[in-house]
Amino acid sequence: MIGKGYSDTHYLDALYGLIQRLSLSNPKRQELLNEYNRIKAGNFGEKVVMNSLEQLQLPYQFYIFHDLYLSIESHIQIDILILTRYYAFIFEVKNIKGAIELTDNPSQLIRTLPDGEIHVFKSPEPQLEEYIYQLQKFFQNKNIHIPVYGAIIFPFTSSFIKQSSNKTTVLQKNEIKPFLRRIVTKCDSITDDELEYLRHSILDKHKEFIPYPLIERYNIPREDVSNGVICNKCNTLGMKRLSHYWRCPNCYSKSSKAHERAIYDYLTIINNKISNEECRKFLNIKSVDQSYRMLKNMNLIKLGKTSRVKYMLPYLNYKSN
């Protein structure tokens, strides 16, 4: 059963918007592009694993959770968690192409591409060990005692596991379901009520990952981020507002709602709140009434009254003062 289903992260959309608004010569652009590609690949790998797990059948009740952010002793981010009456299992998903080596002392993930190019990454093993430890602590604090296991998952055959350490289970996607079915379940387990209690406790503990505004996260000067409305057809920045729609000066396509993406960019990249004046400056329009209608017709939270009114995205509301 699904405890928390797969969902794409809005962080990826926000990051893409920031990349589009930086000049090609900006020193942070390549770093952000690498980050974007890494997250996109990770999301795709997690989606494939979740699709496979949704077909899983076990002789006992279980719940599957995707993308959990929990604060226990510290903040941890679990790609996929399976919770049963007998155990909990953490999957750390890695969508990395090439020949993969997981080494000890030091703990590293070494990737070799077909052309011989070598890349070295932090090993996911210490992170997985920490997640297992913290989740055990979380259960113990609830006075519930079940074992917590973990595995590193490579979902695609484009990952050739050349060498792995002996400390951690490493699986490919087609091995996951048979592996879970082989786990020995002991007689002493938690009750169905305790399982439900843990399910609710995990969902209550989960907090959405909110890294905004991105210019603060990545230490980017505000002046490096371009204003304007981006065409969703050709990605040209600088659509012009006519009477009832936006028009792209490059491909001449029209849109009545292109401003919505721009306002979303402002709220995730620059500031989690936007006023009418800030909206006009960012969209490069002059009409107070026009920007008012644009903000009012979006699914935004309204803060304050009269001329001091500001708007914010619903999932950023917990940060408001």
Side-chain angles (χ1 to χ4, degrees):
M1 298 178 65
I2 301 300
K4 180 178 180 291
Y6 175 84
S7 60
D8 290 314
T9 172
H10 46 70
Y11 175 43
L12 198 62
D13 290 335
L15 191 56
Y16 184 67
L18 174 57
I19 292 168
Q20 286 184 301
R21 293 179 180 277
L22 295 179
S23 69
L24 294 177
S25 61
N26 190 285
K28 288 288 182 74
R29 195 174 190 276
Q30 187 57 52
E31 172 193 337
L32 296 177
L33 192 56
N34 292 341
E35 176 82 345
Y36 175 82
N37 289 331
R38 181 188 65 80
I39 296 170
K40 186 176 182 180
N43 284 357
F44 184 54
E46 291 167 25
K47 184 174 184 179
V48 167
V49 174
M50 282 293 292
N51 287 342
S52 178
L53 288 173
E54 287 173 4
Q55 304 166 24
L56 176 67
Q57 293 185 7
L58 294 173
Y60 43 84
Q61 188 170 343
F62 64 94
Y63 291 102
I64 306 170
F65 303 83
H66 173 249
D67 199 25
L68 290 172
Y69 286 85
L70 308 174
S71 180
I72 305 172
E73 288 189 354
S74 61
H75 296 288
I76 63 174
Q77 187 265 320
I78 295 175
D79 292 340
I80 297 172
L81 172 69
I82 293 183
L83 179 67
T84 79
R85 289 178 53 194
Y86 302 96
Y87 61 85
F89 209 107
I90 297 172
F91 289 146
E92 179 69 18
V93 182
K94 293 297 177 187
N95 182 7
I96 302 176
K97 296 180 180 180
I100 306 298
E101 296 178 72
L102 291 168
T103 65
D104 296 325
N105 196 27
S107 294
Q108 292 180 323
L109 188 155
I110 302 171
R111 184 265 298 275
T112 305
L113 295 174
D115 62 3
E117 186 176 348
I118 296 174
H119 299 138
V120 179
F121 305 93
K122 290 181 179 178
S123 171
E125 289 186 286
Q127 176 178 284
L128 182 58
E129 289 175 9
E130 180 64 18
Y131 290 0
I132 290 171
Y133 169 80
Q134 292 212 34
L135 194 60
Q136 285 174 330
K137 282 288 187 182
F138 176 70
F139 292 161
Q140 290 168 9
N141 290 340
K142 301 292 182 182
N143 200 30
I144 292 177
H145 303 278
I146 56 173
V148 181
Y149 307 119
I152 300 168
I153 307 297
F154 291 93
F156 302 110
T157 55
S158 56
S159 300
F160 167 60
I161 313 304
K162 184 177 179 181
Q163 176 183 327
S164 63
S165 72
N166 296 320
K167 294 190 303 181
T168 306
T169 300
V170 178
L171 302 172
Q172 292 195 309
K173 186 192 71 171
N174 63 324
E175 298 177 288
I176 297 172
K177 289 190 282 188
F179 177 86
L180 289 172
R181 295 189 190 106
R182 289 195 299 268
I183 294 178
V184 177
T185 54
K186 298 179 180 179
C187 294
D188 51 334
S189 65
I190 62 176
T191 66
D192 288 338
D193 287 343
E194 288 173 321
L195 178 62
E196 288 298 316
Y197 171 69
L198 278 187
R199 179 176 72 90
H200 287 292
S201 297
I202 288 170
L203 292 174
D204 288 343
K205 193 73 173 175
H206 166 74
K207 300 297 181 185
E208 192 77 15
F209 176 55
I210 306 293
Y212 311 127
L214 292 184
I215 58 171
E216 293 182 7
R217 178 176 176 83
Y218 292 108
N219 194 27
I220 295 173
R222 167 63 183 93
E223 57 269 22
D224 286 5
V225 181
S226 298
N227 293 350
V229 176
I230 297 173
C231 174
N232 62 1
K233 299 292 185 182
C234 69
N235 291 323
T236 295
L237 178 64
M239 294 188 83
K240 304 298 181 183
R241 182 68 184 183
L242 302 181
S243 56
H244 298 291
Y245 59 86
W246 297 90
R247 187 176 183 183
C248 176
N250 181 54
C251 69
Y252 304 110
S253 64
K254 299 177 182 178
S255 171
S256 61
K257 294 186 176 182
H259 58 273
E260 292 185 358
R261 176 55 200 257
I263 293 170
Y264 170 85
D265 282 351
Y266 184 95
L267 290 170
T268 55
I269 295 170
I270 296 168
N271 196 315
N272 66 341
K273 300 171 190 170
I274 188 169
S275 66
N276 188 301
E277 180 182 3
E278 290 163 341
C279 180
R280 297 196 310 272
K281 288 180 179 178
F282 194 68
L283 301 181
N284 293 322
I285 60 176
K286 295 181 179 180
S287 171
V288 174
D289 291 338
Q290 202 171 56
S291 59
Y292 169 75
R293 288 193 297 272
M294 290 176 181
L295 291 166
K296 181 182 177 182
N297 291 332
M298 288 180 65
N299 183 28
L300 300 175
I301 293 175
K302 185 177 178 181
L303 304 170
K305 297 180 180 179
T306 63
S307 61
R308 296 185 178 181
V309 168
K310 291 202 173 188
Y311 300 83
M312 71 187 310
L313 291 165
Y315 53 79
L316 299 181
N317 189 38
Y318 82 98
K319 283 190 172 184
S320 62
N321 295 322

